Amino acid sequence: MECRLETKMKAMMESLAREHQQELAEAGTLLDLEELTCQIGDMVTRELTQQEVVRRAKAMDTEQAECPDCGALCSRGEPEPVVLDGLRGQLAYNQPSYYCRRCRRSFFPAGGPVGTSGPEHGHPADVAEGGLGG
């Protein structure tokens, strides 16, 4: 891990420990302590992942996108709210959508930049329905 990142992480952990000192002190057994710290870690993981998924979706959101059927440039439509079931809980973001007048259909850009499609994640249509990893 990069030294600067490690220093920042240690400072963040010290801050979290101070904020949750009472709960940490009340954890009776090692198992209780680990369960509490895993809950805190899951919250941190979920928030970092949430922020990155939202950032990637915004990066994909352009004024126009190419229709996957006819190749025409199509204008942006209303974003579609998506909720994914990740390893550490649910993640929500607004997926950019587009409308092709020629094909008379709406479509979403490929999920690759958001990280929700590819052979390891199943078909993009299954992702929103069944969660990350289909």
Side-chain angles (χ1 to χ4, degrees):
M1 191 180 292
E2 186 180 306
C3 187
R4 212 170 77 207
L5 178 59
E6 189 173 340
T7 302
K8 285 182 178 183
M9 291 298 295
K10 284 182 181 181
M12 186 176 89
M13 293 305 110
E14 289 172 8
S15 174
L16 276 171
R18 279 192 303 274
E19 289 177 33
H20 296 281
Q21 185 55 53
Q22 179 143 356
E23 296 132 297
L24 292 166
E26 291 172 358
T29 65
L30 177 59
L31 182 59
D32 294 337
L33 183 58
E34 285 184 330
E35 285 180 359
L36 175 61
T37 57
C38 283
Q39 288 174 4
I40 293 168
D42 285 351
M43 290 170 60
V44 171
T45 301
R46 194 171 40 253
E47 183 59 31
L48 283 172
T49 305
Q50 172 75 40
Q51 289 179 16
E52 180 60 15
V53 167
V54 167
R55 186 197 67 74
R56 290 179 184 192
K58 286 180 180 177
M60 288 176 22
D61 191 7
T62 58
E63 288 296 318
Q64 295 183 320
E66 190 175 299
C67 175
D69 290 339
C70 71
L73 280 180
C74 304
S75 59
R76 180 178 18 183
E78 290 296 315
E80 180 72 23
V82 175
V83 177
L84 302 173
D85 290 325
L87 294 174
R88 301 292 184 248
Q90 291 190 327
L91 307 166
Y93 71 100
N94 288 321
Q95 182 173 357
S97 70
Y98 298 87
Y99 182 76
C100 180
R101 291 175 159 271
R102 184 182 298 168
C103 297
R104 295 190 300 193
R105 69 177 284 252
S106 293
F107 65 92
F108 301 107
V114 174
T116 58
S117 71
E120 70 278 11
H121 297 297
H123 190 275
D126 298 335
V127 172
E129 183 178 305
L132 193 59

